[in-house]
């Protein structure tokens, strides 16, 4: 299918192309007056020295007010067994930290989700304006890479597992 001139540079063109891009699924958390979090497919490893990650967050999201002021954030890599958790953190208006979500306060008071493949706590170093989003750059300060399982992926608008 060829893009029509009306599609060139449009938000729909971007969405259509990135539906074909398989991405790992993460949940980003932060602690404010109450815990906040959202499902992210924009997580990227930026640098090893110092260890930096980035992710995008919409400024209209319910999590943005907490993330806008948070000094530290949690980054959680989800496993294929966590499709429901990913859906909960993606759903607007959901009580994301209520049962059955299992979590605990981690380093720097950041909510750490249980049973994930891996998690990091990171210190926010920058929030870069990017359209209706902010790209958050954060330096790794703690974490645990020892969870079991295979990663959860997002592709064609659905959560998926790896196939052999």
């Amino acid at each position: 299918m060829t893009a029509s001139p009306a599609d060139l540079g449009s938000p729909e063109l971007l969405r259509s192309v990135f539906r074909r891009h398989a991405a790992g699924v993460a949940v980003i958390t932060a602690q404010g007056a109450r815990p906040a979090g959202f499902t992210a497919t924009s997580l990227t490893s930026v640098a090893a020295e110092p260890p930096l990650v980035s992710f995008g967050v919409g400024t209209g999201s319910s999590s943005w007010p907490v993330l806008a002021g948070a000094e530290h954030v949690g980054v959680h890599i989800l496993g294929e067994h966590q499709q429901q958790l990913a859906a909960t953190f993606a759903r607007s208006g959901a009580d994301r930290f209520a049962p059955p979500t299992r979590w605990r306060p981690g380093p720097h008071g950041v909510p750490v989700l249980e049973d994930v493949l891996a998690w990091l706590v990171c210190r926010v170093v920058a929030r870069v304006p990017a359209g209706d989003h902010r790209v958050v750059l954060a330096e790794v300060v703690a974490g645990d890479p020892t969870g079991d399982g295979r990663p959860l992926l997002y592709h064609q608008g659905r959560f998926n597992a790896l196939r052999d």
Side-chain angles (χ1 to χ4, degrees):
M1 177 168 113
T2 304
S4 70
D7 289 338
L8 298 177
S10 72
E12 186 50 42
L13 175 61
L14 180 71
R15 286 185 199 101
S16 295
V17 168
F18 272 85
R19 280 186 196 106
R20 296 178 175 272
H21 174 70
V25 180
V27 167
I28 308 298
T29 61
Q31 182 65 48
R34 59 181 183 75
F38 68 98
T39 300
T41 56
S42 59
L43 179 65
T44 303
S45 170
V46 174
E49 279 296 325
L52 295 171
V53 300
S54 71
F55 58 87
V57 57
T59 56
S61 77
S62 61
S63 298
W64 173 244
V66 173
L67 285 159
E71 291 184 29
H72 292 86
V73 295
V75 175
H76 306 84
I77 307 300
L78 299 191
E80 64 186 4
H81 63 287
Q82 295 178 302
Q83 291 186 19
Q84 190 58 46
L85 183 66
T88 297
F89 275 83
R91 192 170 29 258
S92 181
D95 186 353
R96 298 169 179 156
F97 290 89
T101 300
R102 293 186 4 249
W103 65 282
R104 61 180 171 77
H108 301 280
V110 172
V112 172
L113 301 176
E114 297 191 5
D115 198 30
V116 295
L117 296 187
W119 61 266
L120 298 168
V121 169
C122 304
R123 180 180 59 83
V124 175
V125 296
R127 294 172 183 86
V128 181
D132 62 353
H133 279 61
R134 294 295 182 271
V135 175
V136 177
L137 290 166
E139 184 175 1
V140 175
V141 297
D144 182 354
T146 61
D148 289 327
R150 294 165 46 128
L152 181 62
L153 300 178
Y154 189 73
H155 181 251
Q156 292 287 6
R158 294 186 1 207
F159 296 114
N160 293 281
L162 284 174
R163 286 186 277 233
D164 290 327

